[in-house]
Structure formats: C-alpha cells, structure tokens
Amino acid sequence: MGDWIIGWTTGAVADGPLPALVCLPPAGAGCRRFGSWQHPLAGTAEVFGVQLPGREDRWHEPMPDTFDQAVDTIVTALTRRLGRSRPLVLYGHSFGGLLAYEVARRTTPYALVVSGCRAPARAPGTGRRTAGSPVREDELDRLLDTDDPGLDPGQAHGLRDLELRELALEMLRKDAALSRSYTHRPEPRLRVPVHVWGADDDATVTPAELDRWAAATTGPLHRRQVPGGHHAVLRRPQQLLAHLAELLRAAAAAPAPAGLTTAATAAVSAARHTGA
C-alpha cells in the first residue's frame, strides 16, 4: 500500500521542527505537483501532500468507501507523520479544499486556506450524478479549465491529449463517487482563520460562493481574487505561495502553536453520530 502522506525536504537545518504545510489536490489529480513548493518555502515550512488512492503511484489501490473514511484515514496518517503539536497550515484546491476543511475540523491548524472551492454547505456534485455515469466533453473541459488563457502551449496540448484525458476521466470518476458520499454537518464550526482564493473567470466558484465560507468558522474570513479560470491559483501559485509563507511564519511565532489534536476529532465524531 502506498503512503497517504508524501513529504519533500531540502535538508534545511532548523532549531526545531518547521511548520507543516499540508496540501490536498483537486479532483482527478495527485499531490506530486506540490513538491515544487518546497524550494520557495525552504527554511519556512516543510511541505507535505495528501495522496489519495487511485492516482499516480497509488493507481491500482482501491478508494475509500466514503468521504468520512478518507478524512479519518488522512488525519490518522498526519498524526503519525507529524505528531500532535507541530504548527500546521492546511491548503486545498477545489475538491481538495473540501477535504482540507474536514481535516481542519478534526485537527487544530493555524489556518485553513482553500482555492476554487465552494463552501461546505454548497459542496457541488452531491447527488447530481450516479456512479459510473459519463462525464461530457464540455464538462471535462470545464473541470480541467482547458480555456484558461494563462496556459502555455505545452500545458494546453497535454490537457487535450486523448490518453491523458482518459486518465483524468478515470480519476475524476473515482473522486466524484467519493464526493457523493459527503454529508455536511454545520457543527462544530471551525475556530481558525479561513483564507479563500478565487479567480475572476471562474464561473463555478464565484466571489459570492466564496463569501459563504464565513458560515464555516467563528474566526475571520479573508478572500482574495486573481485573474484566470478555475485552476488559475494552482497553476500560477506565486501569489499564493507568498501568502502561505506569511501564514507559516506567523504559525511558527504563535505562542501556542496549533497542530493535530484529539479534542477536535472527538467533537466532529460526536456531531457525526448525533446527526448535527
């Protein structure tokens, strides 16, 4: 079985454990892309990616049966890898943002950062498609954001390659099946800052949709916009990386570093069993 948590290190020496940036990829993708983030964040954080089964080096492994099962497994794997008191910032894009939110509810991160992701109460896809039903070509183009004007020729060609599109379709089907098992429970709310990123030409996740994240936390909500389509923040992450670096430095300096705890997990588990 492959690893749920993948880390990248530059070998930088620090006085103690660096804050952890844990990244969750969008539907139909793996986490290897986040390895390139370690270099610009060297000395500030250690970058980790969450690798679900059914993609990249875990292609032939079965997916979890439910969304909750996936989140519980991620939290267990994170606890084993990072311990319980390490400063933590969670980042997720699109489908990965929803996963990151539920991981945040079971841990105590310094902050949650999401991009291209609707608020949990408005999670898309649930109940809209039956398992195994086909994804139309226009839907696939929208999900892959093939009309993004910021794509270079190599990226654009790759997104239109028939073999690569088939692989993307297969992964999207697996993640769509997982997302359909998600049930949003509004309590307990997060108690940490939530930072949401959107793109000007993203017709799916509009500024109004991003503002709905305010209901998910008792902490402050911060929204930022960039030019481009649905995946613009992830494809051109320079502004995002600068923002994450600021948060990670603040997490390291916080008097009581946030990290993985059992109290938050217990609260979510109780809400799940009572149907809150």
Side-chain angles (χ1 to χ4, degrees):
M1 299 289 285
D3 292 332
W4 281 77
I5 309 299
I6 297 174
W8 300 274
T9 180
T10 60
V13 177
D15 294 334
L18 290 170
L21 172 64
V22 176
C23 304
L24 295 96
C31 73
R32 296 287 180 180
R33 70 176 69 204
F34 297 115
S36 64
W37 291 13
Q38 182 60 79
H39 179 72
L41 292 173
T44 300
E46 189 171 0
V47 179
F48 296 90
V50 173
Q51 188 76 306
L52 292 175
R55 67 214 64 224
E56 293 182 345
D57 56 333
R58 304 190 68 188
W59 181 261
H60 296 292
E61 295 182 37
M63 293 285 287
D65 291 330
T66 67
F67 195 96
D68 278 339
Q69 185 183 91
V71 173
D72 288 342
T73 304
I74 292 168
V75 171
T76 298
L78 279 176
T79 303
R80 289 174 179 167
R81 186 70 179 264
L82 304 181
R84 295 192 181 278
S85 59
R86 190 168 179 179
L88 174 67
V89 171
L90 292 168
Y91 167 72
H93 179 70
S94 196
F95 171 69
L98 186 62
L99 282 170
Y101 161 74
E102 286 295 340
V103 171
R105 297 179 78 199
R106 291 157 171 82
T107 62
T108 311
Y110 178 79
L112 170 66
V113 184
V114 302
S115 58
C117 182
R118 289 182 175 182
R122 298 270 297 170
T126 303
R128 296 184 183 179
R129 185 183 299 281
T130 57
S133 61
V135 177
R136 300 193 313 267
E137 282 292 308
D138 62 327
E139 288 182 296
L140 181 59
D141 284 329
R142 177 177 57 80
L143 289 168
L144 296 179
D145 200 11
T146 56
D147 292 330
D148 182 355
L151 285 174
D152 63 44
Q155 289 175 316
H157 174 75
L159 291 175
R160 292 181 173 86
D161 180 270
L162 292 178
E163 185 175 349
L164 292 177
R165 286 172 72 88
E166 282 301 315
L167 291 175
L169 272 171
E170 183 60 28
M171 287 190 288
L172 283 167
R173 290 189 185 104
K174 293 174 182 178
D175 291 339
L178 194 64
S179 70
R180 282 192 299 276
S181 70
Y182 177 70
T183 300
H184 175 57
R185 301 172 184 88
E187 298 293 339
R189 297 168 71 189
L190 295 176
R191 293 183 292 176
V192 301
V194 175
H195 302 259
V196 297
W197 285 70
D200 295 337
D201 297 326
D202 187 350
T204 303
V205 185
T206 63
E209 291 287 352
L210 292 172
D211 287 342
R212 292 177 182 269
W213 275 95
T217 184
T218 61
L221 177 71
H222 306 277
R223 176 166 61 82
R224 303 189 184 202
Q225 292 286 127
V226 300
H230 181 64
H231 294 301
V233 176
L234 194 59
R235 287 175 178 164
R236 297 176 288 282
Q238 292 81 4
Q239 292 184 58
L240 173 65
L241 285 170
H243 178 222
L244 289 171
E246 291 178 5
L247 292 175
L248 289 157
R249 285 191 288 269
L260 293 146
T261 67
T262 55
T265 303
V268 172
S269 178
R272 192 190 312 169
H273 288 98
T274 59

